[in-house]
Amino acid sequence: MNYVLRTYKTNTTFDDIFNYRNPKKDIEISVVVPTYNESQVIEKLIRSISKTLEGKKFEIIVVDDSSPDSTSRVVQGLLNEFKQLVLLTRNKRGVFSAQQDGIKIAAGKYVVLMDADFSHPPAKILEMINHIDHNDIVSCSRFLPKSKIIAPFSRKYSTVLLNTVLRIIFGGWISDYSSIFLMVDRKKWNKLHFYYDSVWGEAGMEIFHQAKLNNLAVEEIPFTYNFREEGDSKSGNLLKYGYIYLKRAIDIKFFYKGNYGKKE
């Protein structure tokens, strides 16, 4: 058993994510939130997203990587109150894998990918909705004129330096290559086949590379990034973080071939 899916009225187990069919109809927005040890913030986030999207047809899909803290129990405790809430529990496999599994079970025409720690403000979803009609991907960027980064010095300037280098490598058509605060057209996304497993936000580079290969319309909008105030950061050692991103950038830029993410 690899997956357990819970809603206010169902409790389903399955081994293959493709065996699940979402019964919901007419969902406009699916918000996918990967979690690992986010018990301190997840209830607050669910309430904030629900308030932001009040009056819209939406669902919130929390994909928990078997957190050893009480993240899953906190979400389970909210299922009866929030009928639009879905909890998918699985073995630990990382953020990007969790996002992809969340999209596979989503019912929404559009899907929002965001972190659980409030570094991605839920209120920004409304602005993303305003831009998605004429785009395939709307990405929130930390590096546009009205953007802002509120974070410790080392975190802020390592991110600035990293994305400066990434813009040089990839040609600068995107300002924030490590952004994973996105709204995507679900049907367009499901046509993409990603080659790399990703630990952190390095998935953003392949997402944007795929978008360019497949002529998807991408628009960036500015936002204020707030480094988490509660819970522990998952980013780890900054040198390791930088190495992983730069290695991935070189692999994608110089060794990535084929359409829809397939290497030839």
Side-chain angles (χ1 to χ4, degrees), residues 119-149:
S119 60
H120 300 158
K124 203 69 182 177
I125 296 174
L126 295 178
E127 185 177 347
M128 297 165 84
I129 292 172
N130 291 335
H131 289 263
I132 194 63
D133 280 347
H134 52 279
N135 290 289
D136 301 312
I137 299 175
V138 175
S139 176
C140 292
S141 170
R142 295 162 291 182
F143 303 107
L144 293 174
K146 294 183 179 180
S147 302
K148 190 174 183 180
I149 299 176

Side-chain angles (χ1 to χ4, degrees), residues 194-257:
F194 296 97
Y195 184 87
Y196 296 103
D197 294 326
S198 295
V199 179
W200 298 315
E202 75 271 23
M205 291 179 281
E206 188 174 12
I207 291 170
F208 295 122
H209 188 70
Q210 281 275 320
K212 189 172 185 178
L213 283 177
N214 295 289
N215 297 312
L216 299 188
V218 180
E219 182 178 355
E220 291 185 289
I221 60 175
F223 86 109
T224 297
Y225 172 91
N226 279 282
F227 188 74
R228 68 160 63 233
E229 296 181 357
E230 298 179 76
D232 298 322
S233 173
K234 311 299 188 298
S235 297
N237 181 277
L238 291 178
L239 290 177
K240 179 181 178 181
Y241 168 90
Y243 170 79
I244 289 173
Y245 276 65
L246 291 175
K247 183 178 184 304
R248 179 63 50 80
I250 291 170
D251 286 344
I252 292 173
K253 176 65 177 180
F254 298 106
F255 304 106
Y256 196 88
K257 296 180 180 180

Side-chain angles (χ1 to χ4, degrees), residues 3 17-18 20-22 30-34 59-63 86 88 90 95-114 136-137 180 182-192 194 207:
Y3 298 95
I17 195 72
F18 290 105
Y20 178 76
R21 294 294 180 268
N22 195 321
S30 298
V31 182
V32 175
V33 183
E59 63 181 350
I60 302 170
I61 300 173
V62 176
V63 184
V86 178
L88 180 67
R90 52 177 220 152
V95 172
F96 190 48
S97 171
Q99 290 175 329
Q100 292 187 83
D101 278 350
I103 293 175
K104 288 169 186 173
I105 66 168
K109 180 180 180 181
Y110 302 111
V111 179
V112 174
L113 304 178
M114 65 186 300
D136 301 312
I137 299 175
I180 49 172
L182 311 168
M183 177 175 282
V184 303
D185 181 307
R186 183 170 60 88
K187 289 185 178 180
K188 294 288 184 66
W189 177 279
N190 285 336
K191 292 180 180 179
L192 306 179
F194 296 97
I207 291 170

